[in-house]
Amino acid sequence: MNKPETKNRSPKEGWSIFPLIIILVLDLWAFNLLLAIRWSDSWGNRGTFGDFFATSNTLFSGLALAGVIYALIMQRRELRMQREELALTRQEFKGQKDEMHQQNEHLYLQRFETTFFHQLRILLDTADSTTTKILGTLQNGDNAFKHFVDALKSTDSKMKSDDDRLTDFYNLVNSNSPTMVRFFKNLSSLFLFVSNSRIPSTLKTDNLTVIRSQLTDESSLTVHYYGATPLGKRSIRDVANRYGFFNERDALLILKPSDRELYEATAFRSD
């Protein structure tokens, strides 16, 4: 951190001339005394002679006043230098504070990334362990989400209202895939973790993009409908609306074009 350049002035600057002034005053006093003794042979004459040099008293008084004024000027200079040093100290402390703030933000971002990828790993493990058992057929992992989407399409949801389609979705999840509920809960926790962090909004969007890139189209479709249910509105839909999560391909997979309106336009990114 660069410090501003200042003049390097010593607080004792100027005081070296003060002893010279004292010596000059003593010399003048001694000179007057010698003149009085040399040129006057009586104390009366010496008194008269001394009165002749009464102006010396005025000179000395003036010198004393000048010394006081000089001392005040030097004190004012010292106070100004102290204020400059205090200003430099405050500026240095501010620079250290800003540097510490940057370090704290960098450490926070590192901790965030560590936690984010740990939770993402848990989410993907949950997706791999998801199972569905529909009409006696058991499916695991990605096939479980495909099987679930096929079953959802077979319920003729296209002809139903939005609330009825969401009800069909919710009932199908609860009755055929309890493990998928755990997937949605982990995803909700991850969404809220990103949303509630203090990282910039652009990084939040980037992190949601990373999550979407790790999901299959079928699992993303289930997220679309889960986010529209009462359980997923706050954690899935609101965060997706704010930072974007789905891509344009997701919009082509929904059961009915109007289902896109379950979210705001900002929830769909243009890849």
Side-chain angles (χ1 to χ4, degrees):
M1 179 175 54
N2 295 328
K3 298 181 180 179
E5 295 183 358
T6 58
K7 295 181 179 179
N8 186 16
R9 294 186 297 231
S10 171
K12 297 182 179 181
E13 181 184 354
W15 287 101
S16 59
I17 198 175
F18 190 71
L20 297 178
I21 297 176
I22 298 297
I23 294 173
L24 177 61
V25 171
L26 292 176
D27 288 344
L28 289 174
W29 180 81
F31 178 71
N32 286 336
L33 179 62
L34 291 175
L35 285 178
I37 294 175
R38 182 176 181 83
W39 300 105
S40 300
D41 54 358
S42 66
W43 287 108
N45 292 334
R46 291 172 182 173
T48 303
F49 181 80
D51 292 339
F52 179 75
F53 289 99
T55 54
S56 298
N57 294 332
T58 305
L59 174 62
F60 295 153
S61 298
L63 290 174
L65 179 61
V68 172
I69 295 175
Y70 182 77
L72 292 176
I73 293 174
M74 293 302 300
Q75 186 178 20
R76 181 172 177 269
R77 180 181 298 179
E78 289 180 1
L79 291 175
R80 184 176 69 249
M81 293 175 62
Q82 289 178 358
R83 287 195 296 269
E84 291 176 355
E85 290 177 357
L86 289 175
L88 288 175
T89 301
R90 287 195 297 268
Q91 185 175 357
E92 183 176 356
F93 284 158
K94 182 179 182 300
Q96 292 176 351
K97 182 179 178 181
D98 293 341
E99 185 177 353
M100 185 176 297
H101 176 72
Q102 294 177 358
Q103 292 176 351
N104 290 337
E105 289 298 316
H106 182 68
L107 291 175
Y108 175 82
L109 183 59
Q110 287 182 333
R111 291 195 298 269
F112 169 83
E113 292 178 348
T114 300
T115 305
F116 170 79
F117 285 107
H118 175 70
Q119 292 192 16
L120 179 60
R121 182 68 267 167
I122 293 176
L123 175 68
L124 298 180
D125 290 342
T126 304
D128 291 339
S129 61
T130 297
T131 60
T132 57
K133 189 175 183 179
I134 302 175
L135 299 177
T137 303
L138 181 65
Q139 298 289 345
N140 298 313
D142 293 344
N143 290 330
F145 287 98
K146 293 179 181 179
H147 192 205
F148 181 86
V149 170
D150 290 340
L152 184 62
K153 292 179 179 179
S154 66
T155 58
D156 294 329
S157 294
K158 292 183 179 181
M159 304 302 296
K160 298 180 180 181
S161 65
D162 293 344
D163 290 340
D164 289 339
R165 281 198 306 282
L166 294 178
T167 299
D168 287 344
F169 169 82
Y170 190 74
N171 291 335
L172 192 61
V173 171
N174 286 330
S175 60
N176 297 282
S177 183
T179 55
M180 191 174 292
V181 176
R182 187 166 67 249
F183 167 78
F184 292 137
K185 288 182 178 180
N186 288 342
L187 181 64
S188 298
S189 298
L190 186 53
F191 265 48
L192 290 177
F193 171 73
V194 173
S195 177
N196 294 333
S197 68
R198 65 170 188 259
I199 63 175
S201 297
T202 53
L203 290 182
K204 293 180 180 181
T205 299
D206 293 342
N207 280 276
L208 291 183
T209 303
V210 171
I211 297 174
R212 174 59 187 91
S213 67
Q214 299 300 310
L215 302 181
T216 63
D217 291 342
E218 289 77 14
S219 60
S220 178
L221 181 62
T222 61
V223 171
H224 178 95
Y225 287 103
Y226 177 80
T229 65
L231 292 177
K233 284 184 177 180
R234 187 180 71 88
S235 57
I236 300 294
R237 189 183 67 177
D238 291 352
V239 176
N241 286 340
R242 190 176 302 120
Y243 303 110
F245 175 72
F246 302 102
N247 54 40
E248 291 299 327
R249 189 171 64 254
D250 294 329
L252 300 176
L253 297 176
I254 55 180
L255 300 179
K256 192 176 181 181
S258 61
D259 288 348
R260 180 168 180 160
E261 298 177 0
L262 295 173
Y263 292 79
E264 296 177 7
T266 52
F268 294 86
R269 297 176 288 99
S270 298
D271 294 339

